[in-house]
């Protein structure tokens, strides 16, 4: 599920045309959201056309609310109108929403066509571009309809981060913190040491973060591509996080939901005597320092979140299994499929206690993006 070629370097976007031309495809549909299309769509289109390939740019409205079957259908119909054939290529230029959505188009269009990913958000660069997961959300669940589809190439151009809104930069840092939390304490320590440079968008620091996180995720995917075991660790923070996204009608951004979810699941792990005491507080301190939320809006209760988690893909047989850590940098559950079952009342009590103690952090509404 990992790409044949990876380009994490300055001016990577300019090389898009050469990379796509090297795949021997007949034509290309570039998919971007309405924000990114305006900023980088012409550069991507120009690069592919300059390499001698017919190409079109198709945009959809930015935001998680577009990651639906309806947008997927509209994009596939548009690709057909534009004459994309079995020998065509979909190029996704954008954040995680675009990568997942355009990736799902590529996975399903004529039973699968070539896919090239150009992540432009930090979250896309550190996480969503790696591992071949594509899909869309439904009312019943986050990423409920999806497919695994290997991208042929991934291009990361750090220059595009210059236009990324501050809140989006932080959302990417949340997934990078996750990589540290699940297997590399040094990554977390490095993020803390380089916090000023990262938040100040120093290119060298951001490039190193992307390289580190991409290497972490690629190693996990290479070891367990089909999530029979170790890959489940990447879901740390996501059982509660996905429930929060669904509860807020997908208005709570994914990175923010994962930040809240990691602290919540560390607390659940502590209550279940799986996770070292103090881990939730330590993660909350790191995430708060990065400007990320660590508790949901005040109207969300533990009871709201946990029944929702029952319909998550990670729930097996109606009982909730969590990807947990023993302590920062050390995963739990190596003997039980890398997930741990926690009785629902233990989880519910620990969240109720955690969020009651976070009253001050819970005054912001999801409509205002929480942070
Ligand atoms: N497939 C995977 O393995 C995987 C992993 C992690 C997350 N995800 C998915 O990724 C999604 C979240 O991704 P996201 O946070 O990137 O959201 P997103 O794609 O909505 O991007 C966030 C915002 O940033 C804007 N943006 C992106 N790049 C920009 C740039 N260079 N300059 C200015 N604005 C820019 C977008 O237009 C959007 O408004 C979720 O749906 C999540 O489920 C998938
Ligand atoms: Zn995620």
């Amino acid at each position: 599920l990992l790409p044949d070629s990876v380009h994490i370097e300055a001016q990577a976007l300019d090389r898009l045309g050469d990379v796509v031309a090297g795949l021997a495809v007949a034509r290309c549909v570039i998919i971007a959201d309405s924000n990114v299309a305006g900023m980088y769509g012409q550069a991507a289109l120009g690069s592919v056309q300059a390499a001698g390939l017919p190409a079109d740019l198709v945009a959809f409205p930015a935001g998680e609310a577009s990651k639906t079957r309806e947008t997927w259908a509209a994009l596939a119909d548009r690709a057909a109108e534009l004459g994309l054939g079995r020998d065509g290529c979909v190029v996704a230029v954008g954040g995680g929403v675009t990568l997942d959505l355009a990736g799902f188009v590529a996975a399903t269009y004529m039973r699968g066509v070539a896919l090239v990913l150009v992540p432009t958000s930090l979250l896309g660069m550190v996480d969503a571009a790696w591992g071949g997961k594509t899909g869309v959300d439904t009312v019943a669940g986050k990423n409920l309809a999806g497919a695994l589809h290997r991208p042929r190439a991934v291009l990361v151009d750090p220059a595009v981060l210059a236009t990324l809104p501050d809140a989006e930069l932080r959302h990417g840092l949340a997934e990078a913190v996750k990589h540290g939390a699940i297997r590399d304490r040094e990554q977390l320590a490095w993020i803390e040491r380089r916090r000023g440079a990262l938040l100040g968008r120093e290119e060298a620091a951001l490039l190193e973060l992307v390289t580190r996180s991409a290497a972490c995720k690629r190693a996990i995917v290479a070891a367990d591509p089909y999530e029979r075991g170790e890959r489940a660790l990447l879901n740390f923070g996501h059982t509660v996080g996905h429930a929060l996204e669904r509860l807020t009608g997908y208005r709570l951004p994914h990175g923010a939901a994962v930040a809240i979810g990691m602290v919540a699941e560390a607390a659940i792990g502590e209550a279940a005597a799986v996770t070292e005491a103090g881990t939730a507080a330590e993660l909350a301190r790191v995430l708060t320092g990065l400007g990320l939320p660590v508790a949901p809006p005040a109207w969300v209760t533990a009871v709201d979140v946990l029944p929702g988690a029952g319909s998550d893909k990670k729930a097996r047989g109606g009982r909730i299994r969590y990807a947990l850590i023993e302590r920062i940098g050390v995963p739990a559950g190596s003997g039980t499929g890398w997930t741990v079952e926690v009785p629902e009342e233990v989880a519910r009590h620990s969240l109720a206690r955690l969020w009651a103690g976070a009253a001050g952090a819970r005054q912001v509404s999801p409509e205002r993006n929480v942070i």
Side-chain angles (χ1 to χ4, degrees):
L1 293 173
L2 295 167
D4 300 321
S5 73
V6 173
H7 309 264
I8 304 177
E9 64 208 11
Q11 264 95 50
L13 190 55
D14 300 339
R15 302 197 47 209
L16 176 64
D18 290 340
V19 170
V20 178
L23 301 176
V25 293
R27 74 177 300 127
C28 195
V29 170
I30 298 169
I31 298 178
D33 75 21
S34 46
N35 298 332
V36 173
M39 289 184 255
Y40 304 107
Q42 288 309 319
L45 191 62
S47 174
V48 174
Q49 287 172 340
L53 269 178
D56 295 280
L57 174 64
V58 179
F60 66 89
E64 185 79 28
S66 283
K67 209 179 113 176
T68 60
R69 286 169 293 194
E70 288 72 23
T71 318
W72 163 78
L75 290 170
D77 289 349
R78 188 78 191 110
E81 276 165 24
L82 292 168
L84 194 75
R86 203 179 297 268
D87 52 1
C89 178
V90 170
V91 177
V93 183
V97 166
T98 306
L99 305 180
D100 281 6
L101 180 61
F104 191 42
V105 172
T108 48
Y109 188 79
M110 295 190 174
R111 300 197 187 89
V113 295
L115 172 66
V116 170
L117 301 179
V118 185
T120 63
S121 67
L122 185 62
L123 191 144
M125 294 177 184
V126 299
D127 201 322
W130 313 102
K133 284 191 179 178
T134 75
V136 296
D137 306 329
T138 76
V139 175
K142 171 86 178 164
N143 300 330
L144 202 83
L148 290 169
H149 190 59
R150 190 175 73 88
R152 304 282 294 275
V154 176
L155 290 89
V156 175
D157 188 334
V160 303
L161 292 174
T163 54
L164 192 70
D166 281 336
E168 301 305 342
L169 191 82
R170 294 186 206 117
H171 297 153
L173 292 173
E175 298 273 20
V177 165
K178 178 191 75 180
H179 297 138
I182 59 175
R183 60 177 251 154
D184 184 3
R185 186 174 238 301
E186 168 51 25
Q187 155 114 336
L188 211 62
W190 180 88
I191 290 174
E192 288 222 271
R193 283 200 304 278
R194 302 291 284 147
R195 182 174 62 183
L198 291 166
L199 293 173
R201 295 161 189 261
E202 280 178 27
E203 198 169 298
L206 291 170
L207 206 53
E208 186 171 348
L209 181 83
V210 172
T211 306
R212 278 170 173 268
S213 266
C216 168
K217 186 155 179 197
R218 278 153 59 192
I220 292 174
V221 171
D224 175 26
Y226 299 106
E227 204 164 315
R228 306 235 157 81
E230 190 179 352
R231 186 167 179 174
L233 286 177
L234 291 163
N235 297 323
F236 177 56
H238 284 61
T239 302
V240 171
H242 283 169
L244 290 169
E245 288 187 77
R246 194 169 53 238
L247 264 176
T248 57
Y250 298 107
R251 284 191 302 272
L252 182 67
H254 180 73
V258 169
I260 298 165
M262 286 191 286
V263 175
E265 291 177 21
I268 289 170
E270 288 181 33
V274 170
T275 305
E276 187 176 87
T279 304
E282 167 78 355
L283 281 172
R285 186 186 60 72
V286 173
L287 292 164
T288 306
L290 295 168
L292 284 156
V294 293
W299 59 268
V300 175
T301 69
V303 182
D304 294 331
V305 172
L306 290 179
S311 65
D312 195 273
K313 283 179 301 180
K314 287 171 289 297
R316 299 210 188 98
R319 308 167 80 175
I320 302 175
R321 300 188 67 92
Y322 297 88
L324 296 178
I325 56 175
E326 269 180 33
R327 54 181 186 277
I328 287 172
V330 180
S334 57
T336 55
W338 302 93
T339 55
V340 180
E341 202 166 270
V342 178
E344 184 158 340
E345 56 296 357
V346 172
R348 193 174 327 119
H349 282 140
S350 70
L351 286 196
R353 209 171 329 116
L354 177 74
W355 292 346
R362 284 158 57 76
Q363 301 308 316
V364 199
S365 77
E367 286 74 14
R368 289 174 46 216
N369 266 1
V370 175
I371 43 179

